[in-house]
Amino acid sequence: MKSEKVIALLVAEKSLIDIIEKSIQGLLINSNVYIIYLVVPNEDVTLFRAKINNNQVHILSENDLISSEKQILIKERLGKMHFMYGWYLQQFLKFEFAHHIDQDNYLIWDADTVLFKKMVFKTDIFEVVPSSEYHKPYFETLEKILGIQRQVNFSFISQFMMVNKNELNDFFSLIDRENPQNWYLRVIENIKKDAINEFSEYESYGNYIAFKNKRNIKLKHK
């Protein structure tokens, strides 16, 4: 039986330009990923398109997913933590990509991670490589934005995560019922802004999945 083909999303900037080709090839050769979308800063689009010549890779600007006006709002609302703007933006971009594809599912893959062994990604289960990381501010924000506490005794933070558009739309609506399209601005409003990192896309979505029992969670050990 053939594995279903999946699409992958990578978010990068020019400091990753030298490793990005290896990351892309690792996925295309060693997994059932067949199309990769690479999201980069608007000023880096030309650089990445010159570096990567592969018809299985589509390069998008960050502005295609979150407008420059909304990016300015994110930075402004971070206040004294504005220097963390890029760190938060790359997390928001990973989820906003859901509005720009027809497929129901896509794989988020960390752009600086190279896949060396064979791996098959599945959309009907929620595979997690568990870790022992625990960062309290992530869960303080989780409770504020979703009204739920930590659901499991491990961390969802990993190098990849398979997400589903319908689940993400529900996730957005839970964060901001009146304006789901502004979910990421609501996240910024709900962080204390007194710690370096106060939101994790992987922890938030993973605990949401566990709370809603949306998909079977399968622990995948390295």
Side-chain angles (χ1 to χ4, degrees):
M1 182 178 178
K2 292 184 177 179
S3 302
E4 68 175 312
K5 293 186 178 297
V6 301
I7 67 171
L9 170 70
L10 282 67
V11 178
E13 39 78 36
K14 60 184 178 182
S15 71
L16 299 177
I17 193 74
D18 291 330
I19 196 173
I20 201 70
E21 284 184 304
K22 294 178 182 178
S23 300
I24 289 169
Q25 288 304 312
L27 283 172
L28 294 177
I29 293 171
N30 293 317
S31 79
N32 53 325
V33 169
Y34 79 110
I35 293 291
I36 292 175
Y37 288 85
L38 177 61
V39 176
V40 302
N42 193 56
E43 62 270 21
D44 294 342
V45 169
T46 301
L47 176 67
F48 275 88
R49 285 180 175 165
K51 177 75 170 178
I52 300 165
N53 183 21
N54 189 321
N55 59 12
Q56 290 177 274
V57 181
H58 305 285
I59 299 173
L60 303 176
S61 164
E62 293 175 345
N63 295 9
D64 294 329
L65 307 188
I66 298 179
S67 69
S68 56
E69 292 79 11
K70 288 287 183 69
Q71 291 182 39
I72 290 171
L73 280 177
I74 293 170
K75 186 178 293 186
E76 289 177 347
R77 295 186 184 185
L78 279 169
K80 65 181 181 181
M81 302 302 288
H82 62 88
F83 60 92
M84 291 296 297
Y85 158 75
W87 190 83
Y88 283 104
L89 179 64
Q90 56 91 19
Q91 296 189 67
F92 299 155
L93 290 166
K94 291 172 184 175
F95 286 169
E96 275 299 292
F97 180 68
H99 300 308
H100 294 265
I101 55 167
D102 295 327
Q103 291 89 341
D104 292 331
N105 306 280
Y106 62 95
L107 176 76
I108 297 172
W109 184 264
D110 282 1
D112 60 353
T113 300
V114 180
L115 182 63
F116 291 106
K117 63 181 182 180
K118 296 294 182 180
M119 186 176 292
V120 175
F121 299 105
K122 301 176 182 179
T123 60
D124 59 337
I125 60 175
F126 192 61
E127 288 191 304
V128 180
V129 179
S131 68
S132 59
E133 180 174 341
Y134 176 79
H135 185 57
K136 185 178 179 181
Y138 291 159
F139 303 103
E140 292 175 341
T141 302
L142 175 70
E143 190 161 4
K144 285 184 178 180
I145 64 175
L146 292 179
I148 65 175
Q149 297 180 336
R150 190 185 190 203
Q151 301 294 304
V152 296
N153 62 356
F154 57 84
S155 173
F156 285 98
I157 296 175
S158 180
Q159 286 76 41
F160 70 90
M161 180 171 280
M162 181 70 70
V163 297
N164 174 272
K165 285 173 60 172
N166 290 330
E167 293 169 354
L168 278 173
N169 285 329
D170 182 48
F171 178 84
F172 300 153
S173 295
L174 287 174
I175 294 174
D176 193 331
R177 288 176 173 80
E178 294 183 1
N179 297 295
Q181 70 274 15
N182 288 334
W183 68 274
Y184 45 85
L185 297 179
R186 182 71 68 182
V187 170
I188 295 298
E189 290 171 7
N190 279 280
I191 63 175
K192 291 182 178 179
K193 303 178 184 68
D194 60 4
I196 295 297
N197 307 330
E198 297 182 274
F199 172 77
S200 164
E201 79 280 40
Y202 285 169
E203 292 284 32
S204 298
Y205 185 76
N207 279 277
Y208 154 80
I209 292 294
F211 178 76
K212 289 288 188 175
N213 195 25
K214 289 284 189 178
R215 279 182 283 166
N216 294 327
I217 296 177
K218 179 181 178 181
L219 300 186
K220 186 181 183 71
H221 296 279
K222 294 181 180 179

